[in-house]
Each structure stands twice: as structure tokens, then as C-alpha cells.
Amino acid sequence: MIQHKIRKAVIPAAGFGTRFLPATKATPKEMLPLVDKPLIQYGVEEAVAAGCTDIIIVTGRGKTTMEDHFDRSPELEAALIARGKTELLKIAYSVTRLARISYVRQPEALGLGHAVLMARELVGNEPFAVILPDDIVNVEGGCLAQMVGAFDETQSTILGTEVVEGDAISLYGCLDCTPHPTNDRLVAVSNLVEKPKPQEAPSQNAIIGRYILTPRIFEMIEQLTPGSGGELQLTDAIKALLQHERVYGFHYAGQRYDAGDKLGFLKATVDLALQHDTVGLAFRAWLKTQTF
Ligand code: UTP
């Protein structure tokens, strides 16, 4: 059997980000910064840390600042050189050297499945990763690298999974699954239920915004009947994939934040600020002086 490697990562970033209005009216949600880096950069860095060399960002109208972010900025670089700001120059330049980044447009925000389908030509016929940039996982080495390890073992579709408490399961795609015989981070998936009522959830295993998918997913997405609002859901396509291939859930190590939601974004900001190289200590000292 051919041993596939995960070289490409798709980052869907064409949604409206309505939970962050009005901030996201003219600014992509994916460009909102956690301390000093936009969400999309955390996603790209995680993909690179997992060994991906090619990143495909799915963009849409009003999202061009993402392309500018990863591109050279000769005026800024010249100004920093003229002022002798070599450290800042390094920071600005290193962003442009992270990976080979391509962009593909999603003409309308017709759901996550549709966004992934837009990347089909650029992905080709090989397994690939998907990172939702508003799910931030804070862990040394990154979440995707752990999942790539599980893919190397199984050569199958892997869904990032987390056990959530109580009724929270009704906010997620939920896995019907059984433990893997030898790897205690893996579960074998037999069914997926999108946002189940808590009493109908087959488990507390929620799907998070990290996926490794085989290229057959594109056929499955194409065959979907659009749901409400013409949306094509990735979980429906993965459910269809189960008829053809094995699918596993992977219990990653690390702390996840739903940075697409205001409260999650604030929690991520505080935790990443506390760990930050230059402002962490001062921020901690200031927080301690606050009475809540
Ligand atoms: P979300 O559902 O979290 O993002 O999708 P959203 O729709 O932009 O946000 P809200 O719910 O309105 O606040 C997860 C990721 O998938 C992308 C989003 O940009 C986000 O990064 N996405 C979603 C697309 O690229 N296209 C879509 O049609 C939907």
C-alpha cells in the first residue's frame, strides 16, 4: 500500500463571521489578532508545524487583507530598514516565508463543505488537512501534527475530537464511535450526528475544527443535496464517506478555544497573552492587581 504524507492544508476563511459583528463588517474574522498575530496565522503556523508545505486559503469578497498579510510589503520593509528596526523587519519578513500559500475564492458562503470543495483542483488526488482558523488549539507542536501521526498509522480520515460536558454536545457534530484496540487517542467512527439534542447524542465526542480527509471527500461533497440556505455541510459529506472508508476520531492533547465566539476569543487572548514572550510577565503582574 502507498504510504501517503500530508503535504497540503486547506484553511476555509470565506465565512461572514457574524458572531463578531460589527468588527467583521469590513475586516475578515480570520484577521482578528490574538495578542499580535491574526487567527489565520496561527492556522498556517500549525499546518507548517505538522509538515505541510502547501497551504490553500479559501477566501471570499472583502478578504484580501489576508493575502496582503502573507505577502511582501516593500514599503514597510524599506521603512524598517531605514529606521534600523531589524527585529521588526525579521517579524514582518518571516510571515512571508512560512509556506507556499495559494488562494481560491468561494463566491458565496455556502457552507464548510462547499468551501472545502473550492480547493479541489489545488489539492488534487491526495489526502489533505483542513484547519478551521477560529478553532485555536494551544499546545506545543500543534494539534494537527498529532493528527498527522495518527494518519501515518491509519492512512484514513481523521477527525479532531474532544469530549464536551453535558448539553454542550448539541453545539457540535457528534461521533457515534468505539475505542480503537491499540491507540487510546483514536476512536472508530460508525456514524455522525450534526448538533444532536443532548438526550439523543450517541456520545459526548464533539468534532472540532481539525480534519485530515481523503480525496474521496470531494465526490461526497458534490453528491450532497444542499441543506437550508443552499449550504453544503462537511459533516454530511463525512457521513457519506463512512459508506466507503474508515473514519477515526482523534482525541488531541491541548487546550482549544472557540475564537469565533466572543467569550472563547477573550479566553484565548488572556491565556496567550500570559504566555507571550514579551508582554506575558507584565500582563500577569497587572492582572494580579485587578479585583474582580
Ligand atoms: P464558522 O461557522 O465558524 O464561521 O466557520 P462563520 O460562518 O464565518 O462565522 P459566524 O458563525 O457567522 O460567526 C468556520 C470556518 O469556516 C469558514 C469560516 O470563514 C471559518 O473560518 N467558512 C464557513 C467558509 O470558508 N465558508 C463558508 O461557507 C462557511
Side-chain angles (χ1 to χ4, degrees):
M1 196 172 86
I2 302 168
Q3 283 292 111
H4 290 285
K5 287 264 162 233
I6 303 299
R7 302 184 304 138
K8 298 182 179 177
V10 175
I11 307 188
F16 287 122
T18 54
R19 285 169 290 168
F20 262 104
L21 281 169
T24 46
K25 204 168 160 234
T27 303
K29 171 173 77 175
E30 299 76 12
M31 285 301 291
L32 297 178
L34 288 174
V35 190
D36 52 7
K37 278 193 290 192
L39 294 179
I40 188 89
Q41 189 176 335
Y42 287 93
V44 169
E45 288 177 351
E46 184 176 328
V48 170
C52 295
T53 50
D54 291 74
I55 313 290
I56 300 150
I57 299 181
V58 183
T59 70
R61 273 170 56 77
K63 299 268 187 172
T64 47
T65 50
M66 279 189 288
E67 295 175 44
D68 291 339
H69 179 71
F70 292 108
D71 204 354
R72 296 284 299 273
S73 174
E75 305 84 353
L76 173 67
E77 288 169 24
L80 293 174
I81 290 168
R83 293 174 200 172
K85 305 267 188 198
T86 43
E87 274 312 303
L88 293 178
L89 180 66
K90 237 192 270 172
I91 291 170
Y93 185 64
S94 65
V95 176
T96 71
R97 307 282 299 168
L98 287 171
R100 248 192 315 267
I101 303 183
S102 323
Y103 301 87
V104 63
R105 301 270 289 206
Q106 185 186 24
E108 269 185 276
L110 291 178
L112 189 54
H114 185 258
V116 170
L117 186 60
M118 298 299 102
R120 185 180 198 164
E121 295 295 314
L122 291 171
V123 168
N125 192 29
E126 61 181 281
F128 63 101
V130 174
I131 291 185
L132 304 192
D134 47 1
D135 249 353
I136 294 287
V137 182
N138 186 13
V139 61
E140 184 73 32
C143 173
L144 187 65
Q146 301 169 32
M147 291 173 58
V148 165
F151 175 83
D152 289 343
E153 196 182 309
T154 60
Q155 296 284 301
S156 299
T157 290
I158 310 271
L159 314 176
T161 304
E162 168 183 315
V163 173
V164 297
E165 298 292 326
D167 292 0
I169 193 66
S170 58
L171 301 171
Y172 295 88
C174 172
L175 300 182
D176 195 350
C177 55
T178 48
H180 187 274
T182 55
N183 185 333
D184 59 9
R185 288 205 173 270
L186 282 178
V187 288
V189 177
S190 55
N191 196 11
L192 302 180
V193 189
E194 184 60 20
K195 301 191 172 71
K197 292 198 182 108
Q199 63 277 18
E200 288 167 11
S203 77
Q204 293 298 117
N205 291 279
I207 306 174
I208 64 135
R210 298 289 182 280
Y211 310 78
I212 293 177
L213 300 167
T214 59
R216 188 181 269 165
I217 196 70
F218 295 122
E219 282 166 48
M220 302 295 111
I221 300 170
E222 271 191 327
Q223 287 167 19
L224 288 180
T225 322
S228 65
E231 292 209 348
L232 296 178
Q233 297 306 341
L234 186 60
T235 40
D236 291 339
I238 299 170
K239 199 169 165 170
L241 192 65
L242 276 167
Q243 306 301 318
H244 304 271
E245 295 177 6
R246 290 208 174 118
V247 174
Y248 293 97
F250 179 80
H251 288 280
Y252 64 94
Q255 173 68 50
R256 182 182 66 92
Y257 305 91
D258 178 4
D261 164 81
K262 282 185 258 248
L263 185 59
F265 186 90
L266 289 170
K267 289 177 185 171
T269 300
V270 170
D271 280 354
L272 292 175
L274 286 169
Q275 292 170 17
H276 193 274
D277 284 352
T278 55
V279 296
L281 285 177
F283 184 56
R284 184 176 300 273
W286 176 79
L287 265 187
K288 280 189 178 152
T289 66
Q290 301 303 299
T291 44
F292 296 107

